[in-house]
Short mmCIF file of all heavy atoms in Angstrom, two decimals:
data_model
loop_
_atom_site.label_atom_id
_atom_site.label_comp_id
_atom_site.label_asym_id
_atom_site.label_seq_id
_atom_site.Cartn_x
_atom_site.Cartn_y
_atom_site.Cartn_z
N GLN M 1 -3.42 -10.90 -15.41
CA GLN M 1 -2.91 -9.63 -15.84
C GLN M 1 -1.91 -8.96 -14.80
O GLN M 1 -1.18 -8.11 -15.24
CB GLN M 1 -3.97 -8.70 -16.32
CG GLN M 1 -4.67 -9.03 -17.68
CD GLN M 1 -3.63 -8.94 -18.79
OE1 GLN M 1 -3.31 -9.84 -19.41
NE2 GLN M 1 -3.18 -7.71 -19.00
N SER M 2 -2.08 -9.36 -13.60
CA SER M 2 -1.37 -8.62 -12.50
C SER M 2 0.10 -8.74 -12.74
O SER M 2 0.91 -7.85 -12.24
CB SER M 2 -1.81 -9.19 -11.18
OG SER M 2 -3.07 -8.95 -10.83
N ILE M 3 0.67 -9.84 -13.34
CA ILE M 3 2.07 -9.94 -13.44
C ILE M 3 2.59 -8.90 -14.49
O ILE M 3 3.83 -8.62 -14.63
CB ILE M 3 2.54 -11.33 -13.88
CG1 ILE M 3 1.93 -11.76 -15.25
CG2 ILE M 3 2.13 -12.37 -12.91
CD1 ILE M 3 2.51 -13.06 -15.84
N TRP M 4 1.71 -8.31 -15.23
CA TRP M 4 2.11 -7.22 -16.17
C TRP M 4 1.90 -5.90 -15.53
O TRP M 4 2.13 -4.85 -16.10
CB TRP M 4 1.18 -7.35 -17.48
CG TRP M 4 1.48 -8.45 -18.18
CD1 TRP M 4 0.85 -9.68 -18.19
CD2 TRP M 4 2.58 -8.66 -19.16
NE1 TRP M 4 1.41 -10.57 -19.06
CE2 TRP M 4 2.40 -9.97 -19.74
CE3 TRP M 4 3.58 -7.85 -19.68
CZ2 TRP M 4 3.30 -10.55 -20.68
CZ3 TRP M 4 4.48 -8.28 -20.61
CH2 TRP M 4 4.32 -9.66 -21.07
N GLY M 5 1.46 -5.90 -14.31
CA GLY M 5 1.29 -4.54 -13.60
C GLY M 5 2.57 -3.79 -13.41
O GLY M 5 3.68 -4.43 -13.23
N LYS M 6 2.46 -2.55 -13.57
CA LYS M 6 3.64 -1.70 -13.60
C LYS M 6 4.01 -1.14 -12.18
O LYS M 6 5.08 -0.56 -12.04
CB LYS M 6 3.50 -0.49 -14.58
CG LYS M 6 3.36 -0.84 -15.97
CD LYS M 6 3.18 0.46 -16.80
CE LYS M 6 2.99 0.04 -18.29
NZ LYS M 6 2.81 1.30 -19.08
N TYR M 7 3.15 -1.34 -11.18
CA TYR M 7 3.36 -0.74 -9.92
C TYR M 7 3.43 -1.76 -8.79
O TYR M 7 2.85 -2.81 -8.79
CB TYR M 7 2.20 0.29 -9.64
CG TYR M 7 2.10 1.40 -10.67
CD1 TYR M 7 1.21 1.20 -11.79
CD2 TYR M 7 2.96 2.45 -10.59
CE1 TYR M 7 1.19 2.25 -12.72
CE2 TYR M 7 2.92 3.50 -11.52
CZ TYR M 7 2.06 3.36 -12.69
OH TYR M 7 1.98 4.38 -13.54
N ILE M 8 4.02 -1.40 -7.67
CA ILE M 8 3.93 -2.06 -6.42
C ILE M 8 3.46 -1.04 -5.38
O ILE M 8 3.66 0.18 -5.53
CB ILE M 8 5.27 -2.78 -6.06
CG1 ILE M 8 6.36 -1.71 -5.61
CG2 ILE M 8 5.81 -3.71 -7.06
CD1 ILE M 8 6.42 -1.47 -4.09
N VAL M 9 2.72 -1.57 -4.38
CA VAL M 9 2.22 -0.67 -3.30
C VAL M 9 2.78 -1.18 -1.92
O VAL M 9 2.76 -2.37 -1.65
CB VAL M 9 0.66 -0.72 -3.34
CG1 VAL M 9 0.18 0.00 -2.09
CG2 VAL M 9 0.07 -0.11 -4.59
N MET M 10 3.17 -0.25 -1.20
CA MET M 10 3.61 -0.43 0.26
C MET M 10 2.48 0.11 1.12
O MET M 10 2.08 1.29 0.85
CB MET M 10 4.93 0.13 0.54
CG MET M 10 6.05 -0.30 -0.52
SD MET M 10 6.44 -2.19 -0.31
CE MET M 10 7.42 -2.18 1.22
N MET M 11 2.02 -0.50 2.17
CA MET M 11 1.06 0.03 2.99
C MET M 11 1.10 -0.37 4.49
O MET M 11 1.50 -1.39 4.79
CB MET M 11 -0.29 -0.29 2.37
CG MET M 11 -0.70 -1.82 2.46
SD MET M 11 -2.28 -2.15 1.76
CE MET M 11 -2.35 -3.95 2.03
N ASP M 12 0.57 0.57 5.30
CA ASP M 12 0.14 0.27 6.69
C ASP M 12 -1.37 0.32 6.58
O ASP M 12 -1.97 1.35 6.67
CB ASP M 12 0.76 1.27 7.62
CG ASP M 12 0.34 0.95 9.05
OD1 ASP M 12 -0.52 0.05 9.34
OD2 ASP M 12 0.82 1.58 10.11
N PRO M 13 -1.97 -0.85 6.52
CA PRO M 13 -3.47 -0.88 6.29
C PRO M 13 -4.34 -0.09 7.36
O PRO M 13 -5.33 0.52 7.06
CB PRO M 13 -3.92 -2.33 6.18
CG PRO M 13 -2.70 -3.04 6.43
CD PRO M 13 -1.45 -2.17 6.65
N LEU M 14 -3.84 -0.17 8.61
CA LEU M 14 -4.59 0.55 9.69
C LEU M 14 -3.66 0.95 10.84
O LEU M 14 -3.34 0.41 11.74
CB LEU M 14 -5.63 -0.40 10.29
CG LEU M 14 -6.93 0.35 10.81
CD1 LEU M 14 -7.64 1.28 9.76
CD2 LEU M 14 -7.91 -0.55 11.45
N ASP M 15 -3.12 2.17 10.57
CA ASP M 15 -2.22 2.76 11.55
C ASP M 15 -3.00 3.22 12.77
O ASP M 15 -3.99 3.81 12.65
CB ASP M 15 -1.47 3.98 10.84
CG ASP M 15 -0.58 4.78 11.90
OD1 ASP M 15 0.45 4.18 12.20
OD2 ASP M 15 -1.09 5.76 12.38
N GLY M 16 -2.30 2.96 13.95
CA GLY M 16 -3.00 3.38 15.11
C GLY M 16 -4.08 2.47 15.74
O GLY M 16 -4.95 2.90 16.49
N SER M 17 -4.06 1.21 15.18
CA SER M 17 -5.17 0.40 15.48
C SER M 17 -5.43 0.11 16.89
O SER M 17 -6.56 -0.33 17.30
CB SER M 17 -5.05 -0.92 14.61
OG SER M 17 -3.84 -1.56 15.02
N SER M 18 -4.35 0.35 17.85
CA SER M 18 -4.58 0.11 19.22
C SER M 18 -5.64 1.05 19.85
O SER M 18 -6.14 0.88 20.88
CB SER M 18 -3.20 0.23 20.00
OG SER M 18 -2.70 1.49 19.83
N ASN M 19 -5.97 2.20 19.07
CA ASN M 19 -6.84 3.18 19.43
C ASN M 19 -8.30 2.95 19.07
O ASN M 19 -9.16 3.72 19.33
CB ASN M 19 -6.39 4.51 18.99
CG ASN M 19 -5.14 5.04 19.67
OD1 ASN M 19 -5.10 4.97 20.86
ND2 ASN M 19 -4.28 5.51 18.81
N ILE M 20 -8.49 1.79 18.26
CA ILE M 20 -9.83 1.60 17.67
C ILE M 20 -10.92 1.51 18.80
O ILE M 20 -12.03 2.10 18.65
CB ILE M 20 -9.88 0.18 16.98
CG1 ILE M 20 -8.91 0.35 15.60
CG2 ILE M 20 -11.28 -0.20 16.56
CD1 ILE M 20 -8.77 -0.99 15.01
N ASP M 21 -10.64 0.77 19.91
CA ASP M 21 -11.55 0.59 20.96
C ASP M 21 -11.93 1.78 21.72
O ASP M 21 -12.91 1.76 22.45
CB ASP M 21 -11.15 -0.56 21.81
CG ASP M 21 -11.20 -1.94 21.10
OD1 ASP M 21 -11.54 -1.97 19.92
OD2 ASP M 21 -10.66 -2.97 21.74
N VAL M 22 -11.16 2.84 21.68
CA VAL M 22 -11.38 4.08 22.47
C VAL M 22 -11.82 5.18 21.52
O VAL M 22 -11.76 6.33 21.94
CB VAL M 22 -10.19 4.40 23.34
CG1 VAL M 22 -9.99 3.35 24.39
CG2 VAL M 22 -8.88 4.58 22.48
N ASN M 23 -12.08 4.92 20.29
CA ASN M 23 -12.64 5.96 19.34
C ASN M 23 -11.70 7.04 19.05
O ASN M 23 -12.14 8.29 18.99
CB ASN M 23 -13.98 6.53 19.95
CG ASN M 23 -14.86 7.00 18.78
OD1 ASN M 23 -14.77 6.64 17.65
ND2 ASN M 23 -15.86 7.88 19.14
N VAL M 24 -10.46 6.81 19.00
CA VAL M 24 -9.41 7.76 18.56
C VAL M 24 -9.15 7.70 17.07
O VAL M 24 -9.19 6.56 16.56
CB VAL M 24 -8.13 7.65 19.38
CG1 VAL M 24 -7.06 8.60 18.87
CG2 VAL M 24 -8.41 8.02 20.87
N SER M 25 -8.94 8.81 16.41
CA SER M 25 -8.58 8.72 14.95
C SER M 25 -7.52 7.73 14.51
O SER M 25 -6.51 7.74 15.30
CB SER M 25 -8.16 10.15 14.44
OG SER M 25 -9.26 11.05 14.64
N ILE M 26 -7.70 6.98 13.52
CA ILE M 26 -6.78 6.07 13.01
C ILE M 26 -6.73 6.31 11.47
O ILE M 26 -7.29 7.21 10.97
CB ILE M 26 -7.26 4.52 13.26
CG1 ILE M 26 -8.60 4.31 12.79
CG2 ILE M 26 -7.16 4.32 14.77
CD1 ILE M 26 -9.16 2.98 13.01
N GLY M 27 -5.90 5.49 10.84
CA GLY M 27 -5.62 5.74 9.37
C GLY M 27 -5.13 4.67 8.57
O GLY M 27 -4.63 3.63 9.12
N THR M 28 -5.08 4.86 7.31
CA THR M 28 -4.33 4.01 6.31
C THR M 28 -3.23 4.84 5.57
O THR M 28 -3.50 5.92 5.23
CB THR M 28 -5.31 3.49 5.21
OG1 THR M 28 -6.30 2.70 5.93
CG2 THR M 28 -4.52 2.60 4.22
N ILE M 29 -2.11 4.22 5.56
CA ILE M 29 -0.88 4.86 4.93
C ILE M 29 -0.42 4.00 3.57
O ILE M 29 -0.37 2.80 3.84
CB ILE M 29 0.31 5.00 5.77
CG1 ILE M 29 -0.19 5.78 7.15
CG2 ILE M 29 1.40 5.88 5.14
CD1 ILE M 29 0.97 5.84 8.17
N PHE M 30 -0.24 4.69 2.57
CA PHE M 30 0.21 3.93 1.32
C PHE M 30 1.22 4.72 0.53
O PHE M 30 1.32 5.90 0.65
CB PHE M 30 -1.03 3.70 0.46
CG PHE M 30 -1.70 4.78 -0.10
CD1 PHE M 30 -1.28 5.31 -1.32
CD2 PHE M 30 -2.69 5.50 0.56
CE1 PHE M 30 -1.85 6.47 -1.98
CE2 PHE M 30 -3.33 6.53 0.01
CZ PHE M 30 -2.91 7.13 -1.24
N SER M 31 2.02 3.93 -0.23
CA SER M 31 2.87 4.49 -1.16
C SER M 31 3.00 3.59 -2.34
O SER M 31 2.72 2.49 -2.39
CB SER M 31 4.29 4.70 -0.49
OG SER M 31 4.80 3.39 0.01
N ILE M 32 3.34 4.28 -3.53
CA ILE M 32 3.24 3.56 -4.83
C ILE M 32 4.65 3.78 -5.54
O ILE M 32 5.13 4.97 -5.65
CB ILE M 32 2.07 4.20 -5.66
CG1 ILE M 32 0.79 4.00 -4.98
CG2 ILE M 32 2.04 3.47 -7.07
CD1 ILE M 32 -0.35 4.71 -5.66
N TYR M 33 5.20 2.67 -5.94
CA TYR M 33 6.47 2.78 -6.77
C TYR M 33 6.22 2.13 -8.16
O TYR M 33 5.36 1.24 -8.31
CB TYR M 33 7.57 2.02 -6.14
CG TYR M 33 8.02 2.47 -4.77
CD1 TYR M 33 7.38 2.19 -3.49
CD2 TYR M 33 9.13 3.29 -4.77
CE1 TYR M 33 7.80 2.62 -2.39
CE2 TYR M 33 9.60 3.80 -3.55
CZ TYR M 33 8.94 3.40 -2.33
OH TYR M 33 9.41 3.98 -1.08
N ARG M 34 7.11 2.43 -9.13
CA ARG M 34 7.12 1.70 -10.35
C ARG M 34 8.06 0.47 -10.09
O ARG M 34 8.99 0.59 -9.43
CB ARG M 34 7.73 2.52 -11.48
CG ARG M 34 6.73 3.49 -12.10
CD ARG M 34 7.31 3.92 -13.50
NE ARG M 34 7.30 5.37 -13.90
CZ ARG M 34 7.66 6.35 -13.18
NH1 ARG M 34 7.81 6.24 -11.95
NH2 ARG M 34 7.72 7.52 -13.50
N ARG M 35 7.56 -0.64 -10.65
CA ARG M 35 8.49 -1.87 -10.48
C ARG M 35 9.88 -1.67 -11.13
O ARG M 35 9.94 -1.01 -12.20
CB ARG M 35 7.69 -3.08 -11.00
CG ARG M 35 7.47 -3.10 -12.48
CD ARG M 35 6.72 -4.35 -12.91
NE ARG M 35 7.30 -5.64 -12.49
CZ ARG M 35 6.65 -6.75 -12.71
NH1 ARG M 35 5.46 -6.80 -13.30
NH2 ARG M 35 7.22 -7.95 -12.35
N LYS M 36 10.77 -2.40 -10.72
CA LYS M 36 12.11 -2.39 -11.23
C LYS M 36 12.30 -3.62 -12.14
O LYS M 36 13.01 -3.58 -13.11
CB LYS M 36 13.20 -2.52 -10.05
CG LYS M 36 13.25 -1.31 -9.30
CD LYS M 36 13.82 -0.10 -10.09
CE LYS M 36 14.03 1.18 -9.03
NZ LYS M 36 14.50 2.36 -9.64
N SER M 37 11.60 -4.76 -11.85
CA SER M 37 11.72 -5.91 -12.57
C SER M 37 10.87 -5.86 -13.96
O SER M 37 10.11 -4.98 -14.06
CB SER M 37 11.25 -7.12 -11.80
OG SER M 37 9.90 -6.93 -11.38
N LYS M 38 11.09 -6.81 -14.74
CA LYS M 38 10.48 -6.77 -16.06
C LYS M 38 8.97 -7.12 -16.01
O LYS M 38 8.53 -8.12 -15.50
CB LYS M 38 11.20 -7.70 -17.02
CG LYS M 38 10.64 -7.62 -18.49
CD LYS M 38 11.33 -8.62 -19.29
CE LYS M 38 10.85 -8.61 -20.77
NZ LYS M 38 11.58 -9.55 -21.66
N PRO M 39 8.06 -6.23 -16.57
CA PRO M 39 6.56 -6.70 -16.61
C PRO M 39 6.40 -7.96 -17.32
O PRO M 39 7.06 -8.26 -18.25
CB PRO M 39 5.96 -5.59 -17.39
CG PRO M 39 6.91 -4.33 -17.16
CD PRO M 39 8.26 -4.93 -17.11
#
């Protein structure tokens, strides 16, 4: 069913990951678009 999906997602799954080992805040960034191609 995924080829019928209407959306695409762009993401940085773990921003600031170089700070993991020193316990500094990190995060996930995402954005959602409607696809341009035909479902």
Side-chain angles (χ1 to χ4, degrees):
Q1 284 295 114
S2 294
I3 63 172
W4 293 95
K6 298 179 181 179
Y7 300 96
I8 68 101
V9 172
M10 307 293 285
M11 65 178 182
D12 180 351
L14 209 59
D15 174 77
S17 57
S18 62
N19 290 314
I20 292 169
D21 293 355
V22 293
N23 205 22
V24 171
S25 296
I26 53 181
T28 297
I29 307 173
F30 65 90
S31 55
I32 303 170
Y33 294 87
R34 283 199 229 34
R35 70 184 300 174
K36 296 290 187 181
S37 58
K38 184 179 179 181

